[in-house]
Amino acid sequence: MAMDETTSRIGVLATEAFGLLIDAVDHVATESWDQPSNLEGWSVRDLVGHVTGSAAKVVTLVEDGEVWNAPSEPADWICDDPAARLRELAGRLRDALPGADLDAMRVSPAGNVPLGRALTFPVSDLALHSWDLYRSQGRLIELPDDLLALCRGLVESVPEDMLRRPGGFGPAQAAPDDSTPTARLMAYLGRSVDLRC
């Protein structure tokens, strides 16, 4: 799927990414919240806090609110009931999408760009971190084809030095020969895709 075609469907992809994330959070066992995630230095709770900030950014962009131009810090978004918070954000997104102008300019890491393009960063974050949540619980999932295409297109559009900058993605990891397309992308983004590790 070409990036311009993807951005024209970004509302559908955002809704799908929210569903994937909520499902991932619903599967976190009570005793797992404070265990380490697959992201170094972050607990599962920290990971959910960070991605909740990305979810809030998606909604804020669509609602034309004031957006912060930095990754979400986990501590800012940790709450007692993250699944309920995500469902509330998903409801706001559903309400705001029908009236959203995808050509309206919004702030993004790439500067001022049309809303459809500005959403590619945080929507991809929701999809990638949904995978991280499952991986943190010893499971691997496949991203739906359209979300995988969005994430792959975004990754391919970012220069390598920006992709691997501090706070970005770690060095590419080895992926077994029989890895799925999602596992190959995640390994390229520095994630271990070997459940034996």
Side-chain angles (χ1 to χ4, degrees):
M1 184 181 305
M3 192 59 121
D4 59 345
E5 181 185 342
T6 302
T7 56
S8 70
R9 296 189 58 239
I10 197 69
V12 172
L13 295 174
T15 301
E16 185 175 16
F18 260 91
L20 189 67
L21 177 61
I22 290 168
D23 187 60
V25 171
D26 281 343
H27 281 87
V28 176
T30 304
E31 64 276 8
S32 298
W33 284 102
D34 295 313
Q35 293 178 352
S37 76
N38 68 316
L39 300 178
E40 188 176 336
W42 281 12
S43 67
V44 169
R45 187 181 309 278
D46 293 334
L47 173 56
V48 172
H50 164 76
V51 74
T52 301
S54 296
K57 191 175 281 190
V58 169
V59 174
T60 303
L61 282 165
V62 173
E63 292 177 340
D64 195 17
E66 188 173 332
V67 177
W68 56 102
N69 198 14
S72 299
E73 292 296 326
D76 296 339
W77 298 97
I78 292 173
C79 63
D80 291 334
D81 191 347
R85 173 71 172 134
L86 289 168
R87 285 185 172 85
E88 180 259 322
L89 289 167
R92 283 175 49 194
L93 179 67
R94 275 191 304 275
D95 291 345
L97 274 172
D101 178 0
L102 293 178
D103 294 320
M105 300 304 282
R106 297 289 194 273
V107 174
S108 85
N112 285 338
V113 298
L115 172 60
R117 186 166 163 217
L119 287 171
T120 61
F121 288 92
V123 170
S124 294
D125 206 49
L126 299 186
L128 296 172
H129 287 318
S130 295
W131 185 93
D132 285 326
L133 276 172
Y134 278 109
R135 173 66 179 89
S136 297
Q137 297 172 74
R139 297 173 57 195
L140 296 181
I141 62 159
E142 278 302 295
L143 295 178
D145 289 343
D146 50 0
L147 283 174
L148 179 61
L150 176 74
C151 295
R152 186 181 293 128
L154 178 63
V155 167
E156 290 170 356
S157 73
V158 177
E160 184 76 11
D161 61 327
M162 291 295 294
L163 193 68
R164 309 288 178 196
R165 74 186 188 283
F169 296 101
Q173 301 293 310
D177 290 341
D178 61 348
S179 292
T180 65
T182 297
R184 287 188 188 285
L185 176 64
M186 299 309 286
Y188 178 71
L189 295 176
R191 272 68 165 175
S192 168
V193 295
D194 186 348
L195 286 176
R196 295 168 297 178
C197 295

